[in-house]
Amino acid sequence: TDKFTESVYVLANEPSVALYRLQEHVRRSLPELAQHKADMQRWEEQSQGAIYTVEYACSAVKNLVDSSVYFRSVEGLLKQAISIRDHMNAATQGH
């Protein structure tokens, strides 16, 4: 009966001991896990900001490349204006 009583006692208390150990583990590791979660959230926010910045910069570069046609047009008009100015100066000096 002593062995039977001891076995019943162990079996009855085993879940309590397991739950106590589990609670002890959670209490010890939870602050560190919470800190890791906060760090990951902060890194995610920083990454999202960096991704937005890179996408915005890529868009700006693409717009510059697309506007090269307009820059070439302005360059041609400036060359034409300089040529007209030179002709006008030559005509003025010739008179």
Side-chain angles (χ1 to χ4, degrees):
T1 60
D2 287 341
K3 292 287 185 187
F4 178 73
T5 304
E6 182 181 336
S7 294
V8 169
Y9 179 78
V10 168
L11 288 173
N13 286 317
E14 186 62 31
S16 298
V17 171
L19 291 174
Y20 173 76
R21 295 289 183 208
L22 187 62
Q23 178 187 13
E24 188 178 63
H25 172 72
V26 168
R27 191 177 308 144
R28 249 184 301 133
S29 62
L30 189 63
E32 185 178 346
L33 290 172
Q35 183 62 45
H36 284 299
K37 179 182 177 185
D39 290 344
M40 292 299 289
Q41 287 173 335
R42 190 174 61 252
W43 293 334
E44 180 185 14
E45 289 171 6
Q46 290 174 347
S47 296
Q48 290 299 325
I51 289 169
Y52 175 78
T53 301
V54 168
E55 287 176 347
Y56 184 75
C58 288
S59 173
V61 169
K62 184 182 180 305
N63 288 337
L64 279 175
V65 169
D66 291 344
S67 64
S68 64
V69 172
Y70 302 110
F71 285 124
R72 277 189 242 118
S73 174
V74 168
E75 180 184 25
L77 291 171
L78 285 172
K79 286 180 181 179
Q80 190 177 18
I82 291 170
S83 175
I84 291 170
R85 183 199 65 192
D86 290 343
H87 287 298
M88 289 174 69
N89 285 341
T92 304
Q93 288 175 359
H95 279 78

